[in-house]
Amino acid sequence: KMNCCGLLTAQKEPVPLKSVEVELEVRDHVATVVSTLNYENKEDKPLEAVFVFPLPGDAAVCHFSATIGQTQIVAEVKEKQEAREEYDDALSSGQQAFLLEESEQSPDIFSLSVGSLPPGESASIRLEYVTELAVQADDGLRFCLPAVLNPRYQPQGASVQVTSVPASLVPYSLSFSARVSSPRPVSKVESNCSLDPLQYLNPEQTQATVKLAAGHKFDRDVELLIYYKDAHQPTAVVEAGQASAKPGTLMGDPVVMMSLYPEFPQAVMSSVASCGEFVFLLDRSGSMGQENRIGSARNTLLLLLKSLPMGCYFNIYSFGSSYQHIFPKSVEYSQKTMEEALKTVEEMGADLGGTEILNPLEHIYSQPCIPNQPRQLFVFTDGEVGNTKEVISLVKKNSGSHRCFSFGIGEGASSALINGLAKEGGGHAQFITGTDRMQPKVMQSLRFALQPAVVDISVTWDLPKGVSVTVLSPPITALFQGQRSLIYAQLTGESSKAAEGCVTVKYSLAGHPSQNQLHFSLKPAEDTGLTVHRLAARTLICSLEMEEKERRGEQDEGVKKKVVEVSVQSGVSSVFTAFIAVNKGDGEAVQGPLVRRNVPTSSECRGDRALVGSDWRINLTYMFLMAGTAPKQTPRDPLLQLVSLQKASGCWVLDPALAASLGKTSEEVENLKLASEVWATILALIWLHGFKVDAQDEWQLLAMKAVSWLRAQNATCVTECVEAGNALLGCNVQKDVLGL
């Protein structure tokens, strides 16, 4: 039985959501989102309801209010237990109340309890959050508005209770508008949904608005990609503290947000590592059968395996309710092991049930590392995982021995999981939705994985006398060429208006010490509201929550107390706090003793109302999606056809299959004067450059490998081969373009 995600009564009946209005304000790379959800109780009795919804994983929820009839109630952040008791007490004394809390399993799921909505009454709920926008492979900034909660697979058997919505059941309308402003011109905004044209608000084109075209049914995630001219400039934004807060506190002091883009020396970047242990972990749960995600993943593994350098080690794991690996432990990359792996990959279907990622990860980490072969883990999943925090914790615990690159496949992949894996694993995260080809994004991550690891990263601050700094972000553990690193810091003390500070990032790359510097003015920016403070508070809360999780055995109440304190002071939610709003009617306090109700553990229920929290008890069942394996012999795209014929060493062999993939007969490609493997390899390279230059980021690494192989042959006939190859294929690709 499929049921709506959204507002449900205690009897699990959906409450009609009439409409959703979303206003997005993007300043440079920070988004503030205001969502208004309008409901109506059409029943003849008062109802109590629970609303469960997804948010971006790193969002800081900073405002929550409800309007019923003419009354507006604004929620406050309180310690979770206290908030739940206040909610129960309000209901038992006949008042309306609202409770908003973060799931304990996954920071991108929130549940909202709406208590006592009278018959015929409408409620309008306003929710505001801020979030950083991630930089994509093509420098676009990605904003995603999750539409529905995918079913998340809960490990350990029985209590699988999550929710999903088929598109046809989403009856409400969505209006969505965005305003973008940046110091740099906005070059374009793209989306997976149809947009009205971008409207510029000023001649410099640094401010623009954009709206979803009318008639959008909110049946899928809305993704926006925002592009600026010269996106890679380091910037610093200083935001003034809140006038009403005490100086010396997080909200009372100015906070600075730094975005750094390290530039590495060209000499280091041009050399690609020829070692590493590459472990690929592929999701084969039933839901990977949708939109042929599994087929796309198989093609991607083909490109990855062909692009690996000779001399490295590799293994491929796949998982669902159970897991499998191709080799008992990572093996050296050779023609034999590559062929064996590809044969197994070809037979992989979306046929392993649920999404249990913890066991294969534990198995991978239990294998000893190979000396001088840095471990690089690539995780492909549609992210329908219930125990997100546990998984991320495990990756963090092993972050010293590997880098983790993650790929969220399909709509609704949990951003908390995908971003968390990469962040704690010192790697890089990519999201691949319906229409995107997976390959370019994955190959970009492979290029990052082949970049030498940056070590000994340190950040030093040079500030005027009388100003001290408290860094709120965790230490930077990974840097990649052209990737952004964000740092939040609190500035305490007085400085003159014209003062400036400087931040220096030092690191060592392939044995060379390097540094990047950024000078910035301490004068606060105009009217940024408290966005930066809230993001900084969220960053601090996340690192404290991580710390609390690691120390859990030691009864460390201190860290939890600090989280609650930061959360209450900043008005940003955390796992230990909740937003509570009570409509006190005529403003008088409730008389008489309050009824205390302790919140039971996840195995019990809370009165007749399900407790959303440790196991999101929304009693709906997980639907196993149709698991289909693709037919074995689907006609391959010509590029993949050619790639599949390349040898592990980088060369191609002259045979009928190569001729066919180049669109020629065996007789046409035969050339008796020329050394056959050199000739075949040059033909393949000319074809790639001549016909597939638009997909160059997908085949660049395997072409480099082919060129290295050719150079090692010291062949004398290269010029002749290139001329003959161009003539045969009808191309005009010069020798130097090929890299020869």
Side-chain angles (χ1 to χ4, degrees):
K1 177 181 153 198
M2 297 288 247
N3 238 331
C4 276
C5 149
L7 200 50
L8 302 173
T9 66
Q11 286 69 46
K12 308 291 164 281
E13 295 293 317
V15 180
L17 171 59
K18 288 177 27 191
S19 62
V20 179
E21 293 154 36
V22 179
E23 290 168 31
L24 166 68
E25 167 136 17
V26 177
R27 289 167 181 269
D28 219 3
H29 51 239
V30 170
T32 304
V33 184
V34 179
S35 290
T36 311
L37 311 157
N38 301 311
Y39 288 97
E40 189 177 355
N41 178 8
K42 294 188 167 150
E43 303 294 311
D44 50 9
K45 51 189 183 297
L47 58 82
E48 188 200 350
V50 178
F51 179 52
V52 178
F53 54 97
L55 286 181
D58 46 7
V61 176
C62 51
H63 170 93
F64 169 57
S65 59
T67 306
I68 293 185
Q70 300 303 304
T71 319
Q72 192 200 26
I73 334 163
V74 177
E76 298 171 70
V77 176
K78 295 193 174 173
E79 191 277 324
K80 204 173 240 185
Q81 181 69 22
E82 191 187 323
R84 285 171 174 174
E85 284 170 12
E86 194 175 321
Y87 178 81
D88 282 353
D89 294 338
L91 292 202
S92 59
S93 54
Q95 297 172 321
Q96 283 161 344
F98 299 85
L99 178 71
L100 178 73
E101 50 188 341
E102 193 177 301
S103 148
E104 273 144 40
Q105 306 294 302
S106 184
D108 56 352
I109 307 292
F110 280 77
S111 69
L112 161 63
S113 307
V114 176
S116 199
L117 188 56
E121 190 72 89
S122 299
S124 155
I125 292 161
R126 182 184 161 102
L127 183 79
E128 189 174 322
Y129 62 88
V130 286
T131 182
E132 299 157 358
L133 301 184
V135 184
Q136 298 302 284
D138 62 359
D139 296 341
L141 293 175
R142 177 180 185 267
F143 168 76
C144 179
L145 182 69
V148 292
L149 204 52
N150 270 357
R152 297 279 170 90
Y153 179 81
Q154 292 285 54
Q156 307 105 33
S159 67
V160 178
Q161 294 147 344
V162 198
T163 165
S164 172
V165 192
S168 56
L169 292 188
V170 183
Y172 50 83
S173 64
L174 168 75
S175 71
F176 177 91
S177 62
R179 182 188 166 113
V180 182
S181 59
S182 162
R184 295 176 281 284
V186 181
S187 48
K188 60 179 176 176
V189 175
E190 293 175 349
S191 175
N192 60 336
C193 304
S194 48
L195 299 175
D196 288 346
L198 188 68
Q199 305 279 323
Y200 287 108
L201 303 178
N202 60 356
E204 301 78 50
Q205 301 195 342
T206 55
Q207 292 186 9
T209 56
V210 69
K211 291 211 266 292
L212 267 192
H216 176 77
K217 274 273 175 269
F218 195 10
D219 54 1
R220 55 190 161 143
D221 293 358
V222 177
E223 187 180 57
L224 277 196
L225 293 166
I226 299 161
Y227 296 85
Y228 298 126
K229 291 202 171 73
D230 311 323
H232 283 216
Q233 303 302 321
T235 51
V237 177
V238 178
E239 181 177 85
Q242 202 171 6
S244 57
K246 211 164 80 231
T249 62
L250 171 62
M251 297 309 282
D253 279 345
V255 167
V256 59
M257 173 174 70
M258 298 269 157
S259 51
L260 303 166
Y261 286 92
E263 285 297 327
F264 298 161
Q266 194 46 50
V268 180
M269 291 313 300
S270 54
S271 66
V272 171
S274 60
C275 59
E277 178 195 5
F278 295 87
V279 181
F280 304 108
L281 177 57
L282 175 65
D283 186 342
R284 283 172 60 189
S285 60
S287 49
M288 285 288 290
Q290 287 177 298
E291 299 158 1
N292 198 19
R293 292 171 188 173
I294 192 78
S296 183
R298 283 196 299 258
N299 289 340
T300 304
L301 279 171
L302 165 73
L303 276 172
L304 280 166
L305 285 172
K306 296 290 181 172
S307 303
L308 291 180
M310 288 298 275
C312 76
Y313 284 73
F314 78 104
N315 202 352
I316 298 173
Y317 284 70
S318 58
F319 69 96
S321 308
S322 58
Y323 69 91
Q324 303 170 354
H325 36 78
I326 293 186
F327 305 107
K329 57 181 213 257
S330 292
V331 294
E332 191 169 343
Y333 178 72
S334 67
Q335 185 61 25
K336 184 171 164 295
T337 54
M338 180 188 84
E339 278 175 4
E340 199 177 325
L342 281 171
K343 215 169 121 201
T344 315
V345 166
E346 257 175 24
E347 284 156 15
M348 285 181 176
D351 49 11
L352 292 184
T355 313
E356 302 233 9
I357 194 170
L358 211 56
N359 296 347
L361 278 173
E362 281 169 340
H363 189 269
I364 290 167
Y365 294 141
S366 71
Q367 303 281 324
C369 287
I370 304 168
N372 303 321
Q373 301 282 353
R375 181 173 286 168
Q376 317 273 2
L377 173 63
F378 282 62
V379 180
F380 298 86
T381 175
D382 54 15
E384 302 187 352
V385 172
N387 52 343
T388 300
K389 289 195 173 177
E390 242 181 305
V391 171
I392 291 172
S393 242
L394 178 66
V395 171
K396 183 179 170 125
K397 205 170 91 197
N398 290 280
S399 59
S401 64
H402 80 310
R403 292 195 283 189
C404 178
F405 295 84
S406 57
F407 305 89
I409 300 170
E411 299 202 346
S414 159
S415 58
L417 176 74
I418 306 303
N419 289 329
L421 287 173
K423 191 171 177 184
E424 298 305 338
H428 184 255
Q430 306 261 19
F431 287 86
I432 297 145
T433 51
T435 53
D436 292 9
R437 281 182 61 117
M438 201 184 289
Q439 287 82 356
K441 293 189 169 186
V442 175
M443 298 317 285
Q444 185 202 32
S445 291
L446 179 57
R447 284 194 287 275
F448 283 155
L450 291 167
Q451 279 182 23
V454 173
V455 293
D456 305 332
I457 304 170
S458 68
V459 177
T460 49
W461 297 74
D462 183 11
L463 294 167
K465 218 176 144 145
V467 180
S468 64
V469 65
T470 310
V471 178
L472 305 167
S473 306
I476 297 176
T477 52
L479 288 175
F480 295 104
Q481 169 74 9
Q483 277 305 108
R484 180 188 70 191
S485 297
L486 282 178
I487 303 177
Y488 294 93
Q490 175 182 344
L491 303 171
T492 308
E494 285 294 311
S495 67
S496 68
K497 287 284 176 279
E500 71 162 38
C502 174
V503 162
T504 308
V505 182
K506 295 188 174 162
Y507 50 90
S508 170
L509 181 67
H512 303 284
S514 287
Q515 66 171 43
N516 295 121
Q517 264 192 350
L518 175 61
H519 291 267
F520 65 99
S521 156
L522 294 183
K523 185 173 174 257
E526 296 296 310
D527 78 347
T528 50
L530 287 167
T531 310
V532 172
H533 278 74
R534 284 170 176 151
L535 286 169
R538 175 76 188 157
T539 302
L540 180 58
I541 286 168
C542 286
S543 12
L544 288 168
E545 282 177 356
M546 264 297 186
E547 195 180 321
E548 192 270 344
K549 200 173 172 72
E550 284 159 18
R551 293 188 185 180
R552 205 159 263 178
E554 308 158 24
Q555 284 303 301
D556 183 46
E557 282 299 301
V559 178
K560 181 173 170 179
K561 201 174 141 221
K562 182 144 196 221
V563 171
V564 172
E565 198 180 293
V566 173
S567 175
V568 169
Q569 190 204 343
S570 62
V572 167
S573 74
S574 75
V575 75
F576 303 123
T577 52
F579 278 96
I580 172 79
V582 176
N583 185 1
K584 296 271 170 45
D586 53 9
E588 284 184 24
V590 186
Q591 300 305 311
L594 295 178
V595 188
R596 265 209 176 319
R597 290 197 208 152
N598 286 325
V599 179
T601 58
S602 61
S603 58
E604 317 157 38
C605 253
R606 199 173 155 205
D608 62 350
R609 178 160 58 85
L611 160 65
V612 179
S614 52
D615 65 350
W616 325 327
R617 296 185 77 90
I618 313 149
N619 300 349
L620 303 169
T621 41
Y622 174 71
M623 300 282 294
F624 276 107
L625 294 150
M626 298 161 304
T629 41
K632 292 287 170 285
Q633 290 306 319
T634 43
R636 268 242 169 93
D637 120 10
L639 170 61
L640 295 175
Q641 189 60 47
L642 180 73
V643 167
S644 67
L645 299 171
Q646 189 184 26
K647 299 289 178 212
S649 61
C651 73
W652 273 266
V653 177
L654 199 60
D655 65 9
L658 175 72
S661 72
L662 298 171
K664 300 284 172 198
T665 63
S666 297
E667 295 75 38
E668 287 174 303
V669 297
E670 219 159 77
N671 194 321
L672 302 175
K673 298 199 299 277
L674 301 167
S676 71
E677 288 184 0
V678 171
W679 165 235
T681 304
I682 287 177
L683 271 181
L685 286 172
I686 291 174
W687 186 87
L688 289 170
H689 282 276
F691 297 105
K692 289 291 166 188
V693 78
D694 55 337
Q696 186 160 5
D697 46 7
E698 300 178 32
W699 52 258
Q700 195 174 18
L701 288 168
L702 56 91
M704 280 163 73
K705 191 158 76 161
V707 169
S708 306
W709 178 86
L710 280 168
R711 287 198 181 127
Q713 305 312 302
N714 284 326
T716 48
C717 58
V718 170
T719 312
E720 200 182 332
C721 282
V722 173
E723 281 170 14
N726 273 315
L728 176 68
L729 296 174
C731 296
N732 185 13
V733 180
Q734 303 302 313
K735 202 162 102 174
D736 57 340
V737 173
L738 294 174
L740 296 170

